[in-house]
Amino acid sequence: MTYFKLILSFLLTVCIFFALNTKFGAIPPIGKFLNPYTGVWQNETDEAISGNISIPELKDKVTVYYDAELIPHVFAQNELDLYRAQGYITAKHRLWQMEFQTYAAAGRLSEIIGEKALNYDRQERRRGMVYGAEQTLSKMSEDKTMMAIVEAYADGVNSYINQLNSKTYPVEYKLLDYKPEAWTPKKTALLLMYMTKMLAGGDEDMEYTNALRLFGKERFDLLFPDFFDITDPIIPKETDWSYIDVPQTPDPNSEPVLDSIAETIDKPDPNYGSNNWAISDEKSATGNAILANDPHLGLNLPSIWFVMQLSTPNHNAFGATLPGALAVISGFNEHIAWGETNATRDVIDWYKIEFNNDRTQYKFDNQWKDLSIRVEEIKIKGQESYKDSVLYTHHGPVVYDKNFKSDNELSGYAMKWAGHIPGNGQKTFTELNKAKGYDDYEKALQYWVAPAQNIVFASTEGDIALWVQGLFPNKWEGQGKFVMDGSKPENDWQGYIPQQFNAHTKNPERGFVSSANQSPVDEAYPYYVFNDGYETYRNRVINDFFNSKAKFSVQDFKDLHNNNYNLKAAELMPYMLKTMDVSNLTKEEKEIYDIAEEWHYNNDKDEKGPSIWNAWWDILYDMVWDEFEVEDTALETPFTYQTIYLLKNKGDDDFMDIKDTPEKETARDLFKLSFSKAVKNLNDWKAKNGDLNWVNYKGTFAGHLLQALPAFSRFDIPIGGGKNIVNATSENWGPSWRMIVEMTSPPTALGIYPGGQSGNPGSKYYDNFIDTWAAGEYHSLNFLQSDKATEAIISTQTLTPTK
């Protein structure tokens, strides 16, 4: 019996050991993860930020000072060493994040997550993400100086990776049971493609084509106008465009292809946007130009941004960097400041492709043109690879065909995307980091292709400017709004708008420039600009603010960043409250109605009005557009602004009628019906969750990039704001980096973002900025002017060449 117990105990021990060190399905090998010597426990300690570190291929010593926020201030003697050090330091604090994002961009998540990521990976391969990165890398390779610093950055990342072992891998590698691979310039290109998709990957050609077929052109134009009745564009209306001497492409009167498709590929969150603005020295209370930027992106942990100072004897830049990319992206140097918002231009068009019988050629200009085939091998963790053949036309990849989201044997749909155009956008930022004035800023923008960005500028000389920058096709009127016949040459992009004719303004008379994802121009601009879902509320609040008085201060900029005024609600809710029938409200409805009447349209965190508005609007919007609920047909409902316009001005239009009821409803009826449903939903929510304060109802959170890791996320962040509000903080996206720069000599700056400098969930620097950010406060950015440490510095690290 004793021997039996010993044998049984031994067998159980072996089984437990095997189970803890083996991955079953999506379950990681828990034994490795919990191992006290190499597992998660080794990731609890804070980062080492002092001492000497030997880095291969450095030419000279690099000094890195850390301040109390764990912001590294990097002082190098030359550019190659600077970017090699940037790669090393960024990897040290954010390695898993920067590599995971390149896996996502390349459609390689199945390698580390398993088969459940296969459909995502197929989609990204068919989107041409790797193809686009290869085009970018090819273009960068033509610039030997640029390529040298991109390679130096990669060398720096790899110097850090080579110092790691299984004990010191970031915790996510242990959880997913894989290890980092060598960084390459291609990974930097993939990171840039990741951002391009996020900010220039949206389009509605398929959906608009279906709407055109279902409702007809007259009704479509009512729902999706090229310009709204209110236009407060980025470039002031009084701008003179008479200097433009390259005409718009003439309209060939091409007919759209009225085909249907049931499901489209995933698209970026349409709420991703941003604010930026700058005031001239004359409009400033201190006599110095002032610039602000706050990109609205996903609230992720680790944060999308990593703040650094990057200095050589020839330039000194400070601001937010993107882990995986070189230089400061939104920031300042001794002479200028810059920042970006998304320009959301329509740079994706779709073409119907006709194949020959064996799918080796496609019809174009009454001839058969050879297809190229790209075999995409998708590796799957624990399984055999999946191979997908993606056909390429001169337009671009055939995303939809009989093998993916379509069942037509001899036709498909090809994507033409500016993201596939070879570009050297990385150089825009390395040049901005060194720029000394407006001319340098303007020259740096010429390298930028995609995504389209509104790039704001201010200088210590008092100049301010804003360019709507990207490589934009010179389209004929209406081109790209609907699916086009890919066999007709006249439907191709015939050329591009010359860069000098991109919409821009310098030192406008009004004394300020601003952008908030609204229409870039008004109807006077001589090139075709389609309403790509442009924002119509934040921009008016911002411009009204800067038109409200003569002088502004840094405190005014802080107040505007944190402005919670809900213009959208203010333009509709009073009308709804006044118009709807209130003669038979229930007690519960009367209580909610009274709260709504008292609300002053500020989405402050302790207000109940925003919760009522949000619940009411969501139901009302869906009621209005029930006609768009069509089975097996991809459709996009109309823009917010146009919906409100129709509710107030065409309340008896047929679109107000609910299809599934015998009565013919009007907007007045919809107000009451949606209000009653909203009250029920609100009371149900209140019964489960407590009061209706906006901060609770909205529930802002910053989620870890691996969505299945709530322990590495932050929930119930105490902040107001919301969609279409300057403080554009919604559930899981919002101001990802708030920066204010006063153009003193040298500039003085404030900055904050919802995260922390460290990517390690065990570090005190992982999410330590979040509460400060939520409170609307900032950190002073310690812009060191020399490589001599100051009292603001808590630690010094020296990178030295390997002997």
Side-chain angles (χ1 to χ4, degrees):
M1 189 66 178
T2 302
Y3 288 112
F4 175 76
K5 289 181 178 180
L6 285 173
I7 293 170
L8 180 62
S9 176
F10 174 75
L11 290 174
L12 286 172
T13 301
V14 170
C15 290
I16 291 170
F17 179 84
F18 175 78
L20 289 177
N21 289 278
T22 304
K23 187 177 187 296
F24 297 100
I27 302 172
I30 302 299
K32 293 181 182 180
F33 184 60
L34 299 179
N35 186 307
Y37 301 104
T38 62
V40 64
W41 319 112
Q42 298 300 322
N43 297 94
E44 286 189 330
T45 54
D46 289 337
E47 294 82 354
I49 53 175
S50 61
N52 295 323
I53 298 175
S54 177
I55 304 291
E57 299 181 8
L58 276 180
K59 297 180 181 301
D60 210 330
K61 180 184 74 171
V62 176
T63 304
V64 183
Y65 298 115
Y66 283 93
D67 62 26
E69 278 72 53
L70 199 71
I71 294 174
H73 304 254
V74 182
F75 287 84
Q77 300 307 306
N78 58 79
E79 269 199 316
L80 285 175
D81 281 354
L82 178 71
Y83 292 116
R84 188 172 285 111
Q86 184 187 8
Y88 179 89
I89 295 296
T90 304
K92 175 182 174 63
H93 299 291
R94 298 291 190 86
L95 175 62
W96 177 81
Q97 172 198 6
M98 58 196 284
E99 189 179 43
F100 180 78
Q101 290 177 158
T102 65
Y103 271 77
R108 295 181 58 197
L109 291 184
S110 297
E111 292 182 35
I112 56 176
I113 293 176
E115 188 179 17
K116 65 183 179 182
L118 178 59
N119 285 338
Y120 171 86
D121 287 346
R122 289 191 66 197
Q123 170 185 274
E124 297 313 291
R125 303 293 181 101
R126 284 177 168 267
R127 200 193 301 265
M129 293 291 284
V130 176
Y131 170 76
E134 290 168 352
Q135 304 309 301
T136 295
L137 188 61
S138 174
K139 186 68 176 179
M140 283 197 297
S141 298
E142 297 173 5
D143 186 331
K144 301 305 181 185
T145 301
M146 186 71 231
M147 200 61 191
I149 63 175
V150 172
E151 289 172 343
Y153 183 95
D155 291 341
V157 175
N158 290 329
S159 294
Y160 178 71
I161 292 174
N162 292 337
Q163 295 175 4
L164 298 176
N165 54 43
S166 58
K167 176 180 177 179
T168 53
Y169 288 159
V171 64
E172 292 89 350
Y173 289 105
K174 298 174 181 180
L175 184 64
L176 294 172
D177 192 28
Y178 76 113
K179 61 183 180 180
E181 62 185 19
W183 192 267
T184 64
K186 185 176 179 178
K187 284 184 175 286
T188 290
L190 280 166
L191 188 278
L192 297 174
M193 279 299 295
Y194 185 76
M195 297 305 298
T196 300
K197 184 193 82 168
M198 186 184 298
L199 299 173
D203 72 277
E204 287 79 30
D205 298 17
M206 297 285 186
E207 293 85 350
Y208 290 161
T209 301
N210 289 331
L212 178 66
R213 189 185 70 256
L214 291 172
F215 306 122
K217 188 175 188 310
E218 182 179 350
R219 300 294 273 166
F220 179 90
D221 290 342
L222 172 68
L223 303 181
F224 300 98
D226 282 359
F227 290 91
F228 296 127
D229 67 323
I230 290 178
T231 303
D232 192 356
I234 293 169
I235 307 305
K237 290 183 177 181
E238 62 271 15
T239 299
D240 180 10
W241 304 109
S242 61
Y243 66 93
I244 292 179
D245 57 6
V246 174
Q248 178 181 332
T249 299
D251 187 348
N253 298 313
S254 179
E255 292 294 324
V257 176
L258 297 181
D259 277 2
S260 173
I261 194 166
E263 180 187 10
T264 58
I265 56 176
D266 293 342
K267 299 173 186 178
D269 190 325
N271 296 298
Y272 287 163
S274 304
N275 303 319
N276 64 22
W277 57 78
I279 60 171
S280 66
D281 48 4
E282 294 183 355
K283 208 167 180 66
S284 167
T286 61
N288 302 306
I290 310 174
L291 177 146
N293 192 200
D294 63 302
H296 304 155
L297 299 168
L299 303 183
N300 295 324
L301 290 172
S303 169
I304 194 170
W305 301 108
F306 181 66
V307 177
M308 302 182 79
Q309 180 174 354
L310 300 172
S311 180
T312 72
N314 297 319
H315 81 275
N316 190 4
F318 198 146
T321 73
L322 282 170
L326 286 68
V328 170
I329 305 300
S330 171
F332 59 96
N333 61 27
E334 305 102 311
H335 310 286
I336 75 165
W338 65 92
E340 305 82 27
T341 69
N342 198 21
T344 66
R345 288 285 279 273
D346 181 15
V347 292
I348 296 179
D349 285 344
W350 290 91
Y351 295 87
K352 183 175 181 180
I353 304 300
E354 181 183 346
F355 303 126
N356 66 348
N357 288 334
D358 61 0
R359 289 164 49 91
T360 59
Q361 295 180 314
Y362 67 103
K363 185 173 286 187
F364 182 73
D365 196 16
N366 295 316
Q367 300 178 52
W368 289 105
K369 191 176 178 73
D370 288 342
L371 288 156
S372 61
I373 302 175
R374 187 181 177 108
V375 178
E376 299 284 359
E377 181 181 3
I378 302 174
K379 297 178 182 179
I380 305 173
K381 192 167 190 175
Q383 298 184 32
E384 291 185 4
S385 296
Y386 180 95
K387 291 186 178 180
D388 194 7
S389 296
V390 183
L391 308 178
Y392 275 73
T393 68
H394 74 284
H395 305 291
V398 177
V399 178
Y400 307 104
D401 63 11
K402 69 172 186 175
N403 297 315
F404 190 79
K405 297 184 183 293
S406 181
D407 58 5
N408 196 317
E409 287 283 337
L410 296 180
S411 69
Y413 298 91
M415 168 197 277
K416 178 70 174 180
W417 183 23
H420 295 152
I421 298 173
N424 193 5
Q426 181 65 88
K427 189 166 184 175
T428 292
F429 293 109
T430 57
E431 293 299 302
L432 284 174
N433 280 220
K434 297 184 290 188
K436 295 183 178 179
Y438 177 82
D439 290 344
D440 289 341
Y441 153 79
E442 184 179 13
K443 182 179 178 181
L445 299 188
Q446 296 175 18
Y447 302 105
W448 191 255
V449 171
Q453 295 289 286
N454 307 306
I455 303 179
V456 70
F457 161 91
S459 74
T460 53
E461 297 176 344
D463 290 326
I464 59 172
L466 195 152
W467 276 75
V468 183
Q469 182 56 32
L471 184 61
F472 303 122
N474 182 356
K475 296 186 175 185
W476 38 263
E477 200 72 18
Q479 186 177 11
K481 193 184 293 188
F482 310 111
V483 177
M484 292 178 283
D485 184 344
S487 70
K488 296 183 177 180
E490 61 267 27
N491 290 334
D492 283 7
W493 292 358
Q494 303 298 313
Y496 297 91
I497 297 173
Q499 193 272 337
Q500 67 268 29
F501 298 153
N502 282 348
H504 64 279
T505 184
K506 179 186 178 185
N507 297 330
E509 288 185 13
R510 65 187 187 181
F512 72 91
V513 293
S514 75
S515 72
N517 317 116
Q518 75 267 38
S519 178
V521 292
D522 64 5
E523 294 93 329
Y525 185 63
Y527 295 110
Y528 177 62
V529 177
F530 171 56
N531 185 347
D532 197 27
Y534 290 121
E535 220 287 330
T536 48
Y537 300 101
R538 284 183 282 115
N539 66 295
R540 287 189 282 149
V541 172
I542 292 167
N543 288 357
D544 287 348
F545 180 79
F546 284 118
N547 284 319
S548 66
K549 59 181 183 178
K551 303 281 185 179
F552 294 87
S553 66
V554 167
Q555 184 58 52
D556 289 322
F557 274 46
K558 293 180 183 179
D559 294 342
L560 186 54
H561 263 166
N562 292 280
N563 184 300
N564 285 332
Y565 183 61
N566 193 332
L567 178 60
K568 181 171 80 172
E571 290 190 341
L572 181 61
M573 196 181 218
Y575 180 80
M576 293 197 296
L577 292 170
K578 179 181 178 181
T579 304
M580 78 174 185
D581 181 5
V582 297
S583 61
N584 59 349
L585 294 179
T586 66
K587 178 183 177 182
E588 291 80 7
E589 291 172 350
K590 186 66 167 66
E591 289 176 357
I592 295 295
Y593 184 92
D594 290 343
I595 296 172
E597 267 201 321
E598 293 297 317
W599 182 39
H600 296 295
Y601 304 106
N602 285 309
N603 275 35
D604 298 333
K605 61 182 181 179
D606 295 326
E607 291 276 1
K608 294 180 174 61
S611 306
I612 297 169
W613 159 255
N614 192 72
W616 192 0
W617 167 252
D618 286 349
I619 295 170
L620 173 64
Y621 183 87
D622 289 343
M623 279 188 176
V624 174
W625 302 124
D626 60 331
E627 290 86 356
F628 282 73
E629 297 172 6
V630 181
E631 189 175 355
D632 295 331
T633 303
L635 287 167
E636 184 74 21
T637 49
F639 306 132
T640 293
Y641 181 87
Q642 195 66 3
T643 302
I644 292 176
Y645 171 83
L646 295 173
L647 285 166
K648 293 174 69 173
N649 296 281
K650 294 183 178 292
D652 58 354
D653 189 274
D654 287 345
F655 275 118
M656 303 299 154
D657 182 36
I658 299 175
K659 294 191 304 177
D660 295 336
T661 64
E663 300 83 12
K664 186 179 187 305
E665 288 84 4
T666 65
R668 185 171 186 264
D669 299 318
L670 298 187
F671 295 157
K672 178 60 171 65
L673 290 168
S674 57
F675 181 75
S676 296
K677 286 189 175 183
V679 169
K680 183 182 184 307
N681 290 350
L682 287 165
N683 285 328
D684 289 346
W685 190 93
K686 183 178 178 181
K688 295 178 181 178
N689 302 283
D691 61 53
L692 291 176
N693 287 356
W694 179 231
V695 66
N696 299 325
Y697 190 81
K698 175 161 64 84
T700 296
F701 69 94
H704 189 272
L705 280 172
L706 286 178
Q707 298 175 5
L709 293 178
F712 295 169
S713 304
R714 274 287 300 271
F715 297 94
D716 300 318
I717 298 173
I719 190 169
K723 296 177 182 178
N724 305 108
I725 292 171
V726 178
N727 179 19
T729 308
S730 190
E731 183 182 11
N732 64 339
W733 53 266
S736 62
W737 160 243
R738 289 192 183 121
M739 177 185 72
I740 300 172
V741 187
E742 183 175 2
M743 302 311 296
T744 52
S745 295
T748 50
L750 303 169
I752 193 69
Y753 65 84
Q757 287 286 94
S758 176
N760 178 8
S763 169
K764 68 180 181 180
Y765 298 107
Y766 177 65
D767 60 359
N768 59 311
F769 292 162
I770 288 181
D771 292 333
T772 304
W773 170 83
E777 300 170 358
Y778 302 75
H779 288 301
S780 294
L781 301 180
N782 302 308
F783 189 29
L784 305 185
Q785 293 303 293
S786 72
D787 61 354
K788 306 300 181 185
T790 71
E791 60 185 17
I793 299 306
I794 64 169
S795 186
T796 303
Q797 197 166 61
T798 304
L799 311 183
T800 57
T802 299
K803 295 183 180 179

